[in-house]
């Protein structure tokens, strides 16, 4: 489920401007504005970043075309059951497995890591039965797979749509409304994918598509699209996410952790970890350990400092596993280059 810029404060650990090839301070401010209000009119976005609407729209088109930033949308739990899988495999099978799994619509993210589980996968399924069939019936039988470690997400404290580059000054943020933040407080309900899948898939490719384009893509009237999208946002059936190429943006290191917290402390620990500015994912799971965490960092040496703050945020929790992502060829349905530049989008279709 991000980024922006201005000659304003940037997230902790972010490198200086000169070290951020391809993304200027004003680019990061634009990204944060879209993180905070993904479908806001360009006039409002422009007012927040201190430019005019035409310039803001043109700059966003440049970032998209270069693969430096993009905006997507996807269905949220309980409309989707999410699983995380660590995959151990033969070294000679790693490349083929990576290519294969990047092509599966139900595998929304793929990471190659330093762990003995060389692949870390994010999975989407309609329900637990479908998730089990995907993991044990399909992934577990692929050639070269040696071991599967499987966990089911029960609560997400933060994911990519909630991470901010922190590039806007307080007065700039005040220009943007907090509709999207408020929408996340509403409990979602399952929906009938028959009439909504086309809308989700179209927005998944480009979250700022106009109502007219969405109506054309979905075979609906423009007024029907407006009503349906408003309802989905109100019920939190859909999340928007403004994402960016993490390497050119100055966060080339992705660190992943599995923790085990005492059950009575789990929610407090998850919420506290989610507040750390580097945290991109903090999710309660049922599996080996009960917390899955991922963070964006500047250099590998930052892992120690982050892990120290991680255990301070969750006293008593044990770190069971830690790894650095060597490459992330797929993130939330977006295929990425070796340097994290955004490429083609593949619709996330939960396994059935």
């Amino acid at each position: 489920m991000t980024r922006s810029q201005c000659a304003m404060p940037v997230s902790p650990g972010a490198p200086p401007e000169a070290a951020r090839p391809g993304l200027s301070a004003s680019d990061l401010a634009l990204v944060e504005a879209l993180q905070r209000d993904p479908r806001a009119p360009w006039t409002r976005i422009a007012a927040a970043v201190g430019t005019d609407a035409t310039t803001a729209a043109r700059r966003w088109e440049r970032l998209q075309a270069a693969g430096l930033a993009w905006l997507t949308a996807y269905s949220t739990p309980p409309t989707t059951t999410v699983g995380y899988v660590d995959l151990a495999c033969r070294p000679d099978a790693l490349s083929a497995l990576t290519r294969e799994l990047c092509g599966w619509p139900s595998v929304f993210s793929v990471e190659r890591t330093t762990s003995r589980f060389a692949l870390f996968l994010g999975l989407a399924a309609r329900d637990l039965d479908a998730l089990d069939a995907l993991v044990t019936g399909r992934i577990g039988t692929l050639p070269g797979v040696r071991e599967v470690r499987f966990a089911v997400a029960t609560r997400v404290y933060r994911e990519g749509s909630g991470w901010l580059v922190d590039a806007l000054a307080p007065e700039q943020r005040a220009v943007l409304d907090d509709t999207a933040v408020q929408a996340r407080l509403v409990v979602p309900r399952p929906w009938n994918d028959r009439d909504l899948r086309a809308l989700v898939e179209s927005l998944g490719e480009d979250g700022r598509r106009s109502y007219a384009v969405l109506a054309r893509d979905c075979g609906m009237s423009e007024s029907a699209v407006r009503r349906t999208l408003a309802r989905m946002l109100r019920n939190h059936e859909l999340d928007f996410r403004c994402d960016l190429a993490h390497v050119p943006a100055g966060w080339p290191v992705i660190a992943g952790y599995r923790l085990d917290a005492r059950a009575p402390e789990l929610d407090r620990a998850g919420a506290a970890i989610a507040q750390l500015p580097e945290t991109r994912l903090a999710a309660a799971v049922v599996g080996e350990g009960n917390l899955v965490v991922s963070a964006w960092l500047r250099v590998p040496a930052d892992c120690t400092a982050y892990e120290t703050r991680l255990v301070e945020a969750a006293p008593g929790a044990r770190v069971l596993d830690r790894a650095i992502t060597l490459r992330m060829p797929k993130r939330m349905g977006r295929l990425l280059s070796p340097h994290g530049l955004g490429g083609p989008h593949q619709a996330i279709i939960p396994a059935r």
Side-chain angles (χ1 to χ4, degrees), residues 261-341:
R262 292 177 59 250
E265 300 295 323
L266 178 59
D267 280 342
R268 191 206 63 77
I273 291 168
Q275 293 305 307
L276 299 177
E278 300 91 346
T279 300
R280 286 271 301 185
L281 172 68
V285 299
V286 176
E288 186 176 327
N290 55 12
L291 275 171
V292 170
V293 176
S294 180
W296 278 13
L297 305 171
R298 180 179 173 182
V299 294
D302 288 345
C303 292
T304 302
Y306 177 76
E307 186 173 333
T308 298
R309 296 201 297 127
L310 192 66
V311 296
E312 289 173 350
R318 293 184 302 121
V319 177
L320 304 179
D321 197 6
R322 59 183 64 80
I324 285 178
T325 295
L326 300 173
R327 186 184 167 196
M328 191 170 197
K330 189 177 187 181
R331 185 196 307 149
M332 289 309 295
R334 183 77 54 177
L335 299 177
L336 306 180
S337 77
H339 295 291
L341 298 177

Side-chain angles (χ1 to χ4, degrees), residues 49 70 102 140 149 313 322 333 349:
V49 300
W70 54 92
C102 279
R149 183 169 65 178
R322 59 183 64 80
I349 302 175

Side-chain angles (χ1 to χ4, degrees), residues 41-63:
W42 283 119
T43 50
R44 186 182 301 149
I45 296 295
V49 300
T51 187
D52 61 85
T54 301
T55 300
R58 186 171 60 243
R59 200 186 320 147
W60 176 246
E61 289 176 6
R62 176 184 65 80
L63 292 175

Side-chain angles (χ1 to χ4, degrees), residues 2-184:
T2 359
R3 309 4 84 183
S4 258
Q5 256 187 300
C6 223
M8 308 270 174
V10 179
S11 293
E17 179 67 27
R20 239 188 259 123
L23 284 160
S24 68
S26 57
D27 290 335
L28 287 179
L30 178 61
V31 171
E32 186 183 339
L34 288 168
Q35 287 178 325
R36 291 180 176 276
D37 203 344
R39 288 184 61 83
W42 283 119
T43 50
R44 186 182 301 149
I45 296 295
V49 300
T51 187
D52 61 85
T54 301
T55 300
R58 186 171 60 243
R59 200 186 320 147
W60 176 246
E61 289 176 6
R62 176 184 65 80
L63 292 175
Q64 281 189 300
L68 291 168
W70 54 92
L71 205 154
T72 189
Y74 43 91
S75 58
T76 58
T79 60
T80 303
T81 300
V82 173
Y84 299 108
V85 165
D86 293 296
L87 213 60
C89 63
R90 294 196 322 264
D92 63 335
L94 181 57
S95 294
L97 280 169
T98 301
R99 287 193 300 271
E100 173 72 19
L101 291 165
C102 279
W104 291 18
S106 53
V107 179
F108 58 80
S109 292
V110 178
E111 301 182 45
R112 287 167 60 163
T113 80
T114 58
S115 168
R116 70 183 179 88
F117 294 96
L119 289 173
F120 176 63
L121 313 175
L123 310 180
R126 184 171 190 150
D127 52 31
L128 289 173
D129 284 344
L131 194 58
D132 176 62
L134 175 62
V135 175
T136 61
R138 297 186 60 197
I139 294 176
T141 62
L142 290 172
V145 171
R146 286 179 169 169
E147 185 180 352
V148 175
R149 183 169 65 178
F150 180 27
V152 177
T154 57
R155 182 171 181 182
V156 177
Y157 304 99
R158 173 185 277 180
E159 51 95 33
S161 66
W163 182 87
L164 299 170
V165 293
D166 194 19
L168 294 173
E171 60 271 20
Q172 292 176 296
R173 296 176 193 137
V175 176
L176 300 164
D177 65 36
D178 57 356
T179 303
V181 174
Q182 292 171 353
R184 293 189 183 114

